[in-house]
Amino acid sequence: QLTPHPTEKTIHVVSHEHGMTVTKTLQEGEAEPQCQSFSYGRARLRARLLEGASLLLLRVLARRQTVPPGLAFPAINAEGDLCTSSY
């Protein structure tokens, strides 16, 4: 039988004049929170979608019931890593 093991994961994104800083915090049960922070310069972020914007775009495409072939966007995933979202 498994016992409850609460896990809380948060990602805090702050935009500033030089780019963006992402801070990830993971807390498992009563353990000390583990934090990671990293920054991206403006040049690397140009035309990138955050995870929430990507989900919103997906809903719009679903509502329209159409997806252009080969649709892909530079994105930032749930872990704060730079990636590509294909639809």
Side-chain angles (χ1 to χ4, degrees):
Q1 198 175 54
L2 297 175
T3 59
H5 186 78
T7 301
E8 184 177 332
K9 178 180 175 182
T10 58
I11 296 179
H12 186 80
V13 180
V14 177
S15 180
H16 46 77
E17 66 181 280
H18 301 293
M20 181 171 37
T21 300
V22 178
T23 303
K24 297 185 324 184
T25 305
L26 176 66
Q27 183 164 8
E28 297 182 274
E30 299 296 319
E32 285 291 316
Q34 300 173 6
C35 293
Q36 291 180 310
S37 187
F38 41 94
S39 297
Y40 297 112
R42 288 246 181 243
R44 290 193 68 198
L45 294 172
R46 193 162 283 127
R48 300 241 177 226
L49 289 177
L50 293 176
E51 183 187 20
S54 183
L55 290 173
L56 179 61
L57 178 60
L58 213 92
R59 286 184 170 196
V60 169
L61 293 172
R63 178 80 174 177
R64 296 180 68 196
Q65 297 181 349
T66 181
V67 177
L71 183 63
F73 290 98
I76 298 173
N77 67 15
E79 282 73 40
D81 300 319
L82 300 178
C83 64
T84 301
S85 287
S86 301
Y87 299 92

